[in-house]
Amino acid sequence: MALINQAFEYLSSQYAIHTAHLLFFLMLLAGCHQTPVREVVYEEIQLTSDAQGHCLHNTQCFSPDNQWIVYDTRNHDTLISSTGHIEMVHVATKEVKKLYQTQNQTAFGPGVGAATFSPVAPLQVLFIHGIRNADARNPYGYTRRTGVSVRIDAPFHPIFMDARDVSAPFTAGALRGGTHAHTWSGDGQWVSFTYNDYVLQQLDDLRVPDLRTVGVMAPFGPVEVSDDGSGENNSGELFSVVVAEVTENPTPGSDEIDKAFDEGWIGQSGYQKNDGHWQKRAIAFQGNVKDVDGLAKTEVFVLDLPEDITQANPNFPLAGTLDSRPNVPAGVQQRRITFTDQGVQGPRHWLRTTPDGSLIGFLSKDQNGVVQLYGVSPNGGQIKQLTFNPFSVQGPFNFSPDGRYVAYPADNSVFLTDLETGASNRLSSRFSSEEAPVGGVVWSGDGQMLAYNRYVSSTSGRFLQIFLLKGPFSLSGKSNTQ
């Protein structure tokens, strides 16, 4: 990998080669290279075993003290609507504590899922919550969910984080639809999410379609919304806005997008720009563009956020109108940073970055059609291939807290790759397809543990259970092997 980086610098300085063509050539060169896969298998610890699902979110599952792991009780990631419990398990004692239970839970909602711990507030958990009046006529859905928090010292008492107002005139700081897959910023003050708009979804003629986009909520609240008694609206503790600009008809060959999704905060405290300036708050997300032939593909985008998201651009109200989308606040800068031939590819994943914010990770295919992990600076420029395996990455990935490694599922195992050398290590056994890791692999805050899901069969059925690997992890030294 170091040789490829040197080749890029030399060729770009010596010859007038188009950057995109040069990057493509070097990515192909990188794809020809495969590093040996080491197998230093760590002891696997099963934390849960009862006859229900134990579904981990793809990030921020560990409490700040690394003692607890939070999860919802789905037995498949598509079953939020029928799931009513949020729980946590102790990593040492395997004690389970229930944190929240929905009221009047049915197969149609309200539903809960995708639980995360605040990285700084030791007692606070945040998760998706379906709208409280969900039923067979108005079920849980993309536009009918919100973010709810509980404190683990005061379980079962919901705190609505983002306000919801679906009745005109709309409220600035509230949204009119559904927020999803909430992720805390490094300082635990802001939360990102994907968003779909209920008001536009209800338009009979769909003249302004609902398009998925990215939003944030931040401590400029609380935001008060009148409750009509139906459970459709709610007030919220934080101030919420959309931050990614989407359009229903992107111009072919342009940077316009009709979908923004699967985002992640850049760095623990942002990233450094090329001019030396530090951008404190920024988000990387996947955006769907159209190429010059009008074909859709997914590229990596960056949002530089202002410190104050409460100010609207002139004539573009934050809350939108009955026939227009919510609008992006003043000061948001949206940039496309990858210009590839094939775009982001592979299993569904969220963009994640190294802790210093210098590298955004994403999945794509190498020249052999193998899904590998790649990285790019939030400033744009050279794309680096980070994994060189003969088999594909199978799910979401996460970088280690010290920025040295990336963990992910591959070849029906848990894998670790050294970002400097590209060397990979199989950390778990290679399981059958029925028992392989499901979803992402999540680091503890101290970098000493990895948590993940696997299905386990028993006389009671086949249930998603939580497993743990304990470090210290190394690609060069001895391990806690079986």
Side-chain angles (χ1 to χ4, degrees), residues 110-156:
V112 290
T116 61
F117 262 106
S118 163
V120 297
L123 304 176
Q124 193 170 11
V125 165
L126 173 63
F127 48 90
I128 299 169
H129 195 301
I131 303 307
R132 292 166 291 171
N133 62 6
D135 58 22
R137 292 187 307 164
N138 295 293
Y140 170 92
Y142 289 165
T143 68
R144 294 180 47 75
R145 51 193 179 183
T146 189
V148 166
S149 177
V150 294
R151 290 176 56 90
I152 66 175
D153 61 344
F156 304 104

Side-chain angles (χ1 to χ4, degrees), residues 114-340:
T116 61
F117 262 106
S118 163
V120 297
L123 304 176
Q124 193 170 11
V125 165
L126 173 63
F127 48 90
I128 299 169
H129 195 301
I131 303 307
R132 292 166 291 171
N133 62 6
D135 58 22
R137 292 187 307 164
N138 295 293
Y140 170 92
Y142 289 165
T143 68
R144 294 180 47 75
R145 51 193 179 183
T146 189
V148 166
S149 177
V150 294
R151 290 176 56 90
I152 66 175
D153 61 344
F156 304 104
H157 296 285
I159 303 167
F160 287 81
M161 300 293 278
D162 52 308
R164 174 181 163 95
D165 185 359
V166 299
S167 303
F170 305 112
T171 305
L175 291 172
R176 315 107 49 97
T179 65
H180 160 261
H182 309 91
T183 304
W184 304 85
S185 60
D187 61 5
Q189 297 299 301
W190 294 38
V191 175
S192 73
F193 49 83
T194 48
Y195 173 76
N196 286 87
D197 195 85
Y198 178 82
V199 172
L200 297 182
Q201 184 192 55
Q202 303 308 302
L203 293 177
D204 291 336
D205 57 7
L206 296 179
R207 59 189 180 276
V208 183
D210 166 44
L211 301 176
R212 176 161 287 193
T213 187
V214 171
V216 298
M217 58 181 96
F220 300 102
V223 176
E224 299 295 332
V225 174
S226 297
D227 190 343
D228 62 4
S230 71
E232 192 71 37
N233 289 347
N234 59 266
S235 299
E237 289 297 306
L238 303 179
F239 191 99
S240 301
V241 293
V242 300
V243 289
E245 193 74 52
V246 292
T247 180
E248 53 266 33
N249 296 302
T251 302
S254 74
D255 296 344
E256 296 173 345
I257 58 173
D258 59 11
K259 182 180 180 181
F261 59 105
D262 295 349
E263 85 294 343
W265 289 98
I266 299 180
Q268 290 297 301
S269 304
Y271 72 97
Q272 189 172 29
K273 293 188 172 183
N274 286 333
D275 63 4
H277 171 73
W278 195 265
Q279 176 64 38
K280 183 177 180 181
R281 298 195 186 278
I283 287 173
F285 70 91
Q286 300 181 47
N288 284 355
V289 301
K290 290 185 178 179
D291 66 17
V292 293
D293 297 318
L295 300 177
K297 65 174 178 176
T298 302
E299 297 284 7
V300 177
F301 285 74
V302 164
L303 293 166
D304 291 336
L305 304 179
E307 278 299 297
D308 183 358
I309 57 167
T310 66
Q311 303 304 307
N313 287 297
N315 302 316
F316 291 92
L318 294 179
T321 66
L322 280 170
D323 58 1
S324 69
R325 300 184 186 89
N327 289 294
V328 172
V332 174
Q333 301 294 320
Q334 179 169 314
R335 293 180 289 114
R336 176 178 173 180
I337 61 168
T338 60
F339 299 82
T340 64

Side-chain angles (χ1 to χ4, degrees), residues 51-72:
Q52 65 174 26
H54 306 80
C55 188
L56 296 174
H57 192 38
N58 61 76
T59 190
Q60 297 179 334
C61 298
F62 283 87
S63 59
D65 62 5
N66 304 302
Q67 296 300 303
W68 296 90
I69 295 174
V70 68
Y71 59 92
D72 63 73

